[in-house]
Amino acid sequence: MPLYIVVKTLLFSESSRLQGEDVPSISGWLLIGLLAFSLLIGLASVAPAAMASAGEKTGIELKPAIEVKPVILTSIKPLTMIATAVLGDQVEIRQLLPDQEIPHHYALRVSDRRLFDQNQLVLWIGPELETFMGALVAEREPRSVITAAELNGIVWPEAVERGRDYHLWLNPDNALLIARNLVQRVGEFSGVNKAVLKARLQKFEDEITTFKQTLSERLLPLKNNKFIVDHDAFRHFTETFGLHGAGYLRDSSGLEIGARARAKIMSHEGIRCVIAEPESRIDRLQDLATKWKAKLAIIDPLGAEVMLTRETLPNEDSKRSSSAYIRMLSGVTQAFYHCLRGE
């Protein structure tokens, strides 16, 4: 007897036929469900073998349609720039703070906490800069965190009374150290191409070497020109390239200095440049610049306006195009250069 007749006989009850209806009975519906489930199980077991067989016949490695990449969480944009330069598309990079947000006094939101739990590696500066992250980082496995301020080899500027400057990414040597540690740690993850990571790291190292040499030569004639900064956030940059500031109005953590220290700064003469940041009280700093007959420059140490990627310009070799980190540091250099020259 043909199979379809057997199935139909089992599916439809006697009472249904007597009434002239061709409607499955309850037991028939159950059988339909069982047959459908068996068919799905059969397809699931056959599909992988079929894919493997097809791959063997064509010589093409068949991969799943969706590949899940390791997720790297950076705290602030400068670290995102460094991570993007050396990791590229080998991982998914997520940034905790919005580009324009200042890390000193940030308060975590519920969505931030969820983001913090959905990654394989966290890259941050340290509790002195991102105080809001300390408790969450402490709960993680040590190998799932890179604390830049604790890396062996980080170069620190000369200490001042109000403490260290933790804007350490503004020294390109520190950026390179962070990049090397990041590549080493990410290279331990499955699914990443170590050869690609090595090549990207080498390109970043070459960029840093060329950039440092060019920058040192350009700023050398300005090393004796005095400047004041609103926020003590640039010592990693200025000391690396031989520039010497005459003081600051807010310490590295963003707190105002005392009246005595402020009076000492105001007594300086020969100030050529006043450095502000986007969140500074520009009107107050402009008054100071006017008093000293100095130029005012606004510089963002976080590089909030710098795009992580950009289109390659006509006739430009894409392999030689600068990373966002280099473009950010170039912007800082340009601003200091023109301000110290009185332009």
Side-chain angles (χ1 to χ4, degrees), residues 236-295:
H236 279 278
F237 176 84
T238 58
E239 292 195 16
T240 298
F241 298 104
L243 303 177
H244 302 286
Y248 53 86
L249 303 176
R250 293 183 294 137
D251 65 20
S252 181
S253 67
L255 298 178
E256 294 274 354
I257 61 174
R260 181 178 299 179
R262 182 179 176 83
K264 181 178 180 181
I265 289 176
M266 298 303 295
S267 66
H268 282 290
E269 296 180 356
I271 301 298
R272 299 287 298 274
C273 173
V274 176
I275 303 294
E277 294 180 33
E279 77 279 4
S280 299
R281 292 178 54 186
I282 304 300
D283 55 344
R284 182 183 70 168
L285 295 172
Q286 184 61 68
D287 289 342
L288 289 177
T290 301
K291 171 186 177 297
W292 282 309
K293 297 181 180 180
K295 290 293 182 178

Side-chain angles (χ1 to χ4, degrees), residues 69-70 83-84 86-93 191-192 196-197 200:
K69 297 179 180 180
T84 301
V86 295
L87 302 181
D89 61 358
Q90 294 297 300
V91 300
E92 179 181 347
I93 302 172
V192 300
V196 171
L197 296 183
R200 294 187 70 95

Side-chain angles (χ1 to χ4, degrees), residues 31-271:
L31 184 56
I32 290 173
L34 289 172
L35 288 172
F37 180 73
S38 299
L39 180 61
L40 290 174
I41 293 297
L43 289 174
S45 61
V46 170
M51 290 178 65
S53 176
E56 292 175 358
K57 292 179 181 179
T58 61
I60 300 175
E61 182 183 359
L62 299 179
K63 297 182 179 180
I66 300 177
E67 295 184 1
V68 179
K69 297 179 180 180
V71 176
I72 310 301
L73 180 66
T74 60
S75 59
I76 54 177
K77 189 166 184 177
L79 295 180
T80 303
M81 294 176 180
I82 296 171
T84 301
V86 295
L87 302 181
D89 61 358
Q90 294 297 300
V91 300
E92 179 181 347
I93 302 172
R94 300 174 184 173
Q95 183 178 308
L96 188 61
L97 268 67
D99 291 352
Q100 306 284 353
E101 196 68 51
I102 306 301
H104 298 298
H105 310 296
Y106 185 74
L108 283 175
R109 301 167 297 184
V110 174
S111 58
D112 295 330
R113 293 178 181 273
R114 287 197 297 267
L115 186 61
F116 200 88
D117 294 333
Q118 299 171 353
N119 59 80
Q120 283 70 52
L121 182 65
V122 170
L123 173 62
W124 69 320
I125 298 297
E128 295 83 3
L129 187 74
E130 307 105 326
T131 55
F132 58 92
M133 290 178 60
L136 293 175
V137 168
E139 298 174 356
R140 296 179 65 98
E141 291 292 328
R143 292 293 296 173
S144 70
V145 177
I146 294 179
T147 303
E150 297 179 359
L151 294 176
N152 291 329
I154 286 290
V155 179
W156 295 99
E158 183 179 352
V160 296
E161 182 180 351
R162 299 290 288 257
R164 277 180 166 178
D165 173 12
Y166 282 87
H167 301 76
L168 52 83
W169 61 87
L170 291 175
N171 181 337
D173 290 331
N174 289 340
L176 187 54
L177 181 66
I178 293 170
R180 288 169 177 161
N181 279 268
L182 189 57
V183 165
Q184 180 181 5
R185 193 72 57 87
V186 171
E188 299 172 2
F189 297 150
S190 61
V192 300
N193 189 323
K194 294 182 179 180
V196 171
L197 296 183
K198 182 178 180 181
R200 294 187 70 95
L201 177 60
Q202 184 60 57
K203 180 176 183 293
F204 191 58
E205 290 182 351
D206 293 343
E207 280 187 331
I208 293 291
T209 300
T210 301
F211 178 79
K212 280 189 61 180
Q213 181 177 354
T214 302
L215 181 54
S216 297
E217 293 173 355
R218 188 170 197 195
L219 293 178
L220 181 61
L222 306 175
K223 66 178 182 178
N224 294 322
N225 291 14
K226 294 182 181 181
F227 64 93
I228 294 288
V229 297
D230 173 39
H231 178 207
D232 184 27
F234 296 96
R235 276 188 290 132
H236 279 278
F237 176 84
T238 58
E239 292 195 16
T240 298
F241 298 104
L243 303 177
H244 302 286
Y248 53 86
L249 303 176
R250 293 183 294 137
D251 65 20
S252 181
S253 67
L255 298 178
E256 294 274 354
I257 61 174
R260 181 178 299 179
R262 182 179 176 83
K264 181 178 180 181
I265 289 176
M266 298 303 295
S267 66
H268 282 290
E269 296 180 356
I271 301 298

